[in-house]
Amino acid sequence: MDDQQLLRYSRHIMLPELDLEGQEALLNAKVLVVGAGGLGSPVAMYLAASGVGSLWLADHDEVDLSNLQRQIAHTTDRVGQPKVESAAQALRALNPGAHIVPIHEKLEGDRLQQLVDQVDLVVDATDNFGVRYAINAACVRAQTPLVSGAAIRLEGQVTVFDARQESSPCYRCLYDVLEDEQLNCATSGVLAPLVGVIGSMQALEAIKVLAGVGTNLAGRLLLFDANRSEWRELKLPRDPDCPVCGNRPE
């Protein structure tokens, strides 16, 4: 770590829980963020600012005017650009030392698995249940920790799935049946700061997992009610019959 990095990350290094060793772990980490929208924007910005060495951003969509109410990595003059290119521009301006890899494609199948196999952690910042199931299955196969978040209307949730831990459930344990694909922000709306709250929590959990700080949310689900500004916590047991991570996987 050079003098500029020591100064940039000095407020992290001051923390006894993180210290120089934890910051070095972040600088050496590779993280795949799937989704560069409402959740992916604050996730990627905080991870880049915090010194995560290599950020791979995957999204197949372009910036639309309707995104700008909540997707803070994008600006009006970048409407029409690929979201990953727009976000990469914001992240490089925020931290020129971060290695940003924009992936302008819809990840699926072997390509998804290939990328998951190469990183230390995956952040699911998508709003599509089918994609979430695919990301989860790839992470279970690769034994790669997954930070999952969701936000819609005035409700949000965040958790960590860590297949390296025998007792940790996976996303399929939580949602066994495919949910309604029409349930998304485009059709149901979302309060702008809510995605910032959940996305920031995802970034926090990612940093904790990567640097080995504190107790992460593996085995626990946090639910946030923005209408009442209330958090609830639910315990998430692993389903022994889960077709993805259970004792008898398909």
Side-chain angles (χ1 to χ4, degrees):
M1 195 180 301
D2 60 31
D3 290 344
Q4 286 293 315
Q5 289 175 315
L6 287 171
L7 180 59
R8 180 182 285 269
Y9 306 120
S10 59
R11 301 310 189 268
H12 269 179
I13 296 169
M14 289 177 183
L15 299 171
E17 298 88 349
L18 193 67
D19 207 346
L20 192 61
E21 183 179 353
Q23 188 60 52
E24 289 279 9
L26 295 181
L27 289 168
N28 293 325
K30 294 180 181 179
V31 174
L32 170 63
V33 179
V34 186
L39 295 175
S41 290
V43 168
M45 293 177 78
Y46 269 118
L47 292 183
S50 296
V52 170
S54 183
L55 274 176
W56 301 359
L57 305 179
D59 198 307
H60 65 286
D61 204 1
E62 287 77 38
V63 179
D64 185 81
L65 186 61
S66 65
N67 301 148
L68 301 183
Q69 161 253 12
R70 64 200 177 281
Q71 299 183 16
I72 59 174
H74 312 303
T75 57
T76 304
D77 63 338
R78 297 204 288 270
V79 167
Q81 289 186 16
K83 285 186 180 180
V84 290
E85 298 293 347
S86 172
Q89 184 175 336
L91 301 182
R92 289 169 183 146
L94 182 62
N95 187 353
H99 179 54
I100 312 299
V101 182
I103 304 169
H104 186 216
E105 59 184 277
K106 184 177 181 179
L107 294 186
E108 54 190 0
D110 292 341
R111 174 62 168 159
L112 171 61
Q113 190 66 59
Q114 178 189 43
L115 293 175
V116 170
D117 288 343
Q118 296 180 59
V119 298
D120 302 300
L121 181 140
V122 177
V123 178
D124 180 356
T126 67
D127 62 356
N128 180 287
F129 282 99
V131 175
R132 289 175 184 166
Y133 283 140
I135 294 170
N136 173 72
C139 286
V140 170
R141 283 191 291 267
Q143 301 281 284
T144 301
L146 170 62
V147 179
S148 175
I152 193 167
R153 301 188 184 109
L154 279 81
E155 300 173 349
Q157 65 181 46
V158 60
T159 187
V160 172
F161 302 113
D162 192 345
R164 301 172 302 178
Q165 301 180 22
E166 186 175 350
S167 61
S168 176
C170 74
Y171 187 83
R172 186 65 181 270
C173 295
L174 177 60
Y175 293 108
D176 183 46
V177 179
L178 189 67
E179 298 291 327
D180 184 3
E181 288 290 354
Q182 298 303 313
L183 190 64
N184 55 49
C185 296
T187 58
S188 302
V190 63
L191 188 64
L194 174 63
V195 295
V197 172
I198 301 300
S200 296
M201 285 296 297
Q202 286 182 274
L204 173 63
E205 290 301 306
I207 289 170
K208 287 163 62 180
V209 172
L210 292 169
V213 174
T215 303
N216 64 60
L217 284 172
R220 296 181 292 148
L221 174 70
L222 288 186
L223 302 171
F224 182 59
D225 179 353
N227 196 45
R228 297 176 57 85
S229 293
E230 287 183 349
W231 289 95
R232 288 192 300 138
E233 178 182 309
L234 301 178
K235 299 294 184 182
L236 292 182
R238 183 177 179 184
D239 181 0
D241 296 319
C242 174
V244 174
C245 74
N247 298 329
R248 298 188 300 275
E250 290 178 353

